[in-house]
Amino acid sequence: MGNDGGSIPKRRELVKEAARQQTSSQIKETQQEAQAHKWSTCQISQRPLKAPIVSDCLGNLYNKDAILEFLLPSEDPAVEALKPDQERILEGRVKGLKDVVEVRFLEDGEEKASGGEGRWVCPVTNKALGPAVKAAYVVPCGHAFAEVALREVADSQCLQCNEPYSTEDIVTILPLAEEDRMRLKERIGKLAEKGQTHALKKASRSKKRKKNSEAKEGEVTSGMKNGAPTTQVAATISKKANGIATPASTNGIKNAATASLTARVLAEEQEKAKRRKLDRNDNLKSLFSSKEKDGTKGRNTDFMTRGFSIPAGAKR
């Protein structure tokens, strides 16, 4: 690159200013803008928030109709095309309506009567709930308050409907602090261990039941080694065969239907093992028999005619 009248620019000529980190005020302003958007827009449908509004275990807000559209299958290809992005946003937190709680906001009657958009206010402090005020709701009733009101009152009953709740069931709406998010994650983890969902309802299949079923499958597998069940399982099978009712706690299975199903499966496996053993013996005898059934040796057979006998008068 020479003799053409051009020049090679240096780095200091291209980079006029070094990249500067955002100040605390700029970061706070960016967070406020993001919070204002989340307080007014459904995160999965990108439509304005409109009652009924629901929240997941991390305090995010959604339109209830958008959650229903996500959970129910649709014949509209446009709706189905949006579901992968919605699953990425939800991150598996919402698998049914039991995983969300309907948030009951109190609207400002005076502003709504004057023709403005009804804003949400705290029924105790009368402060406007939004990005500028830290708000929370209680589970399971879902009434929303300013978090400072819940902290100062420190009551075990909802301030609007008098429904009892625990301090652990106070869910911060759209939390910014990492400690609030960690607290909500620990709460949903404890509820999952108890077999409950975010709405304090019984989960369809809890982890505790899943662990018990996995342990039971391990016992059944170990008992079926060498084609023979364990002593307790064998006793269960014999009782079923003799028409004796098996108690619900047999072999550690409290559910009578599950116990009977386990016994039936073990009986079928034992029968299959016996059949395989008998078939294997017959096959071995047919393959390795040294004499034919009529007592004559197989000198008229060779590897090309194995399994067939050649008549003595036949020409070779």
Side-chain angles (χ1 to χ4, degrees), residues 126-145:
N126 205 28
K127 290 183 178 180
L129 300 181
V133 178
K134 192 174 182 180
Y137 65 91
V138 295
V139 180
C141 65
H143 286 105
F145 305 90

Side-chain angles (χ1 to χ4, degrees), residues 29-42:
E29 184 179 356
T30 304
Q31 290 179 348
Q32 289 292 335
E33 292 177 357
Q35 285 291 95
H37 176 74
K38 293 179 180 179
W39 271 96
S40 60
T41 308
C42 175

Side-chain angles (χ1 to χ4, degrees), residues 297-302 304-305 308-316:
K297 295 182 179 181
R299 60 179 178 273
N300 293 328
T301 61
D302 54 14
M304 295 294 291
T305 60
F308 298 93
S309 60
I310 301 175
K315 294 182 180 180
R316 293 185 179 272

Side-chain angles (χ1 to χ4, degrees), residues 25-310:
S25 60
Q26 290 175 341
I27 294 175
K28 187 174 182 180
E29 184 179 356
T30 304
Q31 290 179 348
Q32 289 292 335
E33 292 177 357
Q35 285 291 95
H37 176 74
K38 293 179 180 179
W39 271 96
S40 60
T41 308
C42 175
Q43 297 186 30
I44 61 174
S45 66
Q46 301 303 318
R47 293 194 293 264
L49 286 174
K50 186 178 180 181
I53 300 172
V54 296
S55 172
D56 60 4
C57 59
L58 295 185
N60 299 314
L61 299 178
Y62 314 97
N63 287 331
K64 190 173 183 179
D65 57 352
I67 293 294
L68 291 174
E69 290 178 1
F70 169 75
L71 295 175
L72 298 177
S74 176
E75 297 180 357
D76 188 358
V79 176
E80 292 293 329
L82 297 175
K83 288 189 176 182
D85 294 336
Q86 294 174 350
E87 290 179 357
R88 179 180 52 82
I89 295 173
L90 293 173
E91 296 179 348
R93 293 187 297 268
V94 180
K95 298 179 180 178
L97 290 180
K98 293 181 180 181
D99 297 321
V100 294
V101 173
E102 184 174 347
V103 184
R104 302 179 182 179
F105 290 103
L106 178 64
E107 294 185 356
D108 189 357
E110 295 180 359
E111 185 174 350
K112 190 175 182 180
S114 61
E117 296 181 358
R119 62 174 184 172
W120 301 325
V121 296
C122 173
V124 179
T125 63
N126 205 28
K127 290 183 178 180
L129 300 181
V133 178
K134 192 174 182 180
Y137 65 91
V138 295
V139 180
C141 65
H143 286 105
F145 305 90
E147 196 169 86
V148 63
L150 294 175
R151 186 168 58 252
E152 290 180 358
V153 174
D155 196 0
S156 59
Q157 293 182 344
C158 178
L159 301 176
Q160 278 195 284
C161 63
N162 295 327
E163 186 172 354
Y165 68 91
S166 174
T167 54
E168 296 181 353
D169 296 328
I170 298 176
V171 180
T172 305
I173 300 176
L174 298 170
L176 286 176
E178 186 64 25
E179 57 182 6
D180 292 336
R181 296 180 63 85
M182 292 301 298
R183 180 181 64 85
L184 295 178
K185 290 181 180 179
E186 291 178 0
R187 171 183 175 272
I188 195 61
K190 293 179 181 179
L191 291 177
E193 292 178 357
K194 296 178 182 179
Q196 293 180 333
T197 60
H198 170 51
L200 302 182
K201 296 180 180 179
K202 186 177 180 181
S204 56
R205 180 174 176 82
S206 64
K207 290 185 177 180
K208 186 175 181 181
R209 290 177 57 190
K210 187 176 181 180
K211 289 181 180 179
N212 292 336
S213 62
E214 290 177 355
K216 183 53 58 184
E217 290 177 359
E219 293 179 3
V220 172
T221 305
S222 61
M224 285 304 300
K225 289 182 178 180
N226 300 325
T230 58
T231 306
Q232 294 181 351
V233 177
T236 304
I237 296 173
S238 60
K239 288 182 180 181
K240 285 291 180 179
N242 297 329
I244 302 175
T246 305
S249 60
T250 301
N251 199 23
I253 304 177
K254 297 182 180 180
N255 192 341
T258 306
S260 61
L261 180 60
T262 304
R264 193 183 313 121
V265 171
L266 292 177
E268 292 177 358
E269 292 292 335
Q270 189 177 14
E271 186 65 24
K272 289 180 181 179
K274 289 181 179 179
R275 291 178 182 176
R276 285 195 299 266
K277 190 175 181 180
L278 293 175
D279 295 341
R280 182 178 58 190
N281 292 338
D282 294 338
N283 293 333
L284 289 175
K285 289 179 181 179
S286 62
L287 288 175
F288 296 100
S289 58
S290 58
K291 295 183 179 181
E292 296 179 356
K293 294 182 180 180
D294 56 355
T296 60
K297 295 182 179 181
R299 60 179 178 273
N300 293 328
T301 61
D302 54 14
F303 70 94
M304 295 294 291
T305 60
R306 185 171 299 164
F308 298 93
S309 60
I310 301 175

